[in-house]
Amino acid sequence: TVLNGINKQGILRPDGDGYYDQPLGGLNVFNSAGDYYDYEGAKNLFENSSAFMRRVSTACLKSEGGHPVRLPGQSDDEFIHRVMRIDEARVCAHIAKIWLDFDNVRDRDGNKVIAIMGKVKPNEGGYGLSLKGSYANPHEDVCFSIRAFTTDKHIGGVKRRTLADIITFDHVVEPGIGFARKYNSPSLESYSGKSVAMESDNADSVNIT
């Protein structure tokens, strides 16, 4: 039903190097918990001088299969340390490029959104095989969710979250931001075959949504 009425097949083709272009998150949008992600306070993270974008530019941004899970007895500090670390045994993909798309992605109501886009290449083994299979299956969506530190404020009954540091984007079953999925990629093929494109009340929180 996700594809009904939008003339899409659920097929997303990789580029010549095996990377898929797809939405990984969003800004100036609400997540599934009703929290609003601001763009203005976060846009500097997407400039080349930021630590996050330097990880991207040095080809070091990896995605895990699923978000980190807090273990029984694990302290806050221990869990935060885990969130900041990419577990090599759980890596499912490499993300080669990150950019913001202001024009080509829409939410479920048809409104334009600021999409955080990425070029994603599944690993050839381990968790990557599952991701690769999901991309190949037109009847299965591929969803991502941001792993980040945020600064939170409550304004008018709404929690407004500003990204302070992005760790990565993880491959998840359902996204925190509704359109961070394969089916919302501007490059999803049409039926004609044409190509068209975690948490506390503290100021700084580990955000896994």
Side-chain angles (χ1 to χ4, degrees), residues 19 24 45-63 94-99 116-120 165-169:
Y19 287 86
L24 302 176
L45 293 176
F46 298 92
E47 297 173 354
N48 291 333
S49 59
S50 75
F52 170 68
M53 290 301 287
R54 284 198 295 270
R55 291 199 297 273
V56 176
S57 66
T58 55
C60 292
L61 187 61
K62 305 284 189 175
S63 175
H94 174 244
I95 302 175
K97 183 180 178 181
I98 294 285
W99 71 98
I116 304 172
M117 299 290 298
K119 282 187 169 291
V120 180
D165 189 21
I166 300 170
I167 307 303
T168 190
F169 297 87

Side-chain angles (χ1 to χ4, degrees), residues 6 8 25 30 61 77 88 90 103 142 185 193:
I6 61 171
K8 301 288 187 178
F30 288 92
L61 187 61
D77 285 347
E88 295 181 6
R90 297 184 60 88
D103 301 313
V142 177
S185 173

